[in-house]
Amino acid sequence: MSQEAVRSFYNKVLQDRSLQERFKSAPNNEAFVQLAVSLGSESGFTFTADDVRAQLKKGPAGSGTLLSDHELAAVTGGGDPYKYTPPIEVKNPDGVKRGST
C-alpha cells in the first residue's frame, strides 16, 4: 500500500506547481526523500523514507534506475538533463587546447 501512496503523491506533485517549487530546495537525493515524506504527510499520504527510496530505485516509470541529482533537478523544474551543453574548451598557457567532452 505504501508504494501506491508514493506513486499517488508523485502524480499529485506532477499536477501541482507549488509542490514542485518546494522540491526545488532539495540539494540531493536524500534531502529529496525526506522532503517527500514530509510533504506527502502534509498532503494526506502515508509512506516512509524507505518507500520513497524504493520507488526512486524503480524510476518514475518503473525503469529500475535511481534518479541522479541532475535528473532530480529536472523533475523538480531545475533543469533539463537532455539539453545539449557544448564542451568547454580551455587554452592553457602552453598553448595546448584541452577540453571536456
Side-chain angles (χ1 to χ4, degrees):
M1 183 64 181
S2 299
Q3 289 292 304
E4 290 176 24
V6 174
R7 285 189 296 274
S8 295
F9 179 62
Y10 172 77
N11 288 328
K12 177 178 177 66
V13 171
L14 290 177
Q15 302 300 318
D16 187 328
R17 285 284 211 201
S18 66
L19 282 173
Q20 292 171 21
E21 287 295 319
R22 293 179 72 185
F23 273 106
K24 287 182 183 181
S25 68
N28 56 45
N29 276 333
E30 191 53 34
F32 179 90
V33 168
Q34 297 305 320
L35 188 58
V37 172
S38 176
L39 294 177
S41 178
E42 287 177 19
S43 299
F45 296 91
T46 303
F47 49 81
T48 66
D50 287 337
D51 295 327
V52 175
R53 285 186 202 99
Q55 190 63 39
L56 286 173
K57 285 180 184 176
K58 292 179 182 177
S63 63
T65 59
L66 184 65
L67 295 177
S68 70
D69 287 342
H70 184 70
E71 292 168 322
L72 179 61
V75 169
T76 60
D80 181 357
Y82 303 105
K83 180 179 178 183
Y84 174 73
T85 304
I88 300 170
E89 194 171 276
V90 178
K91 202 172 214 179
N92 291 314
D94 61 3
V96 177
K97 290 182 181 179
R98 293 181 178 88
S100 64
T101 56

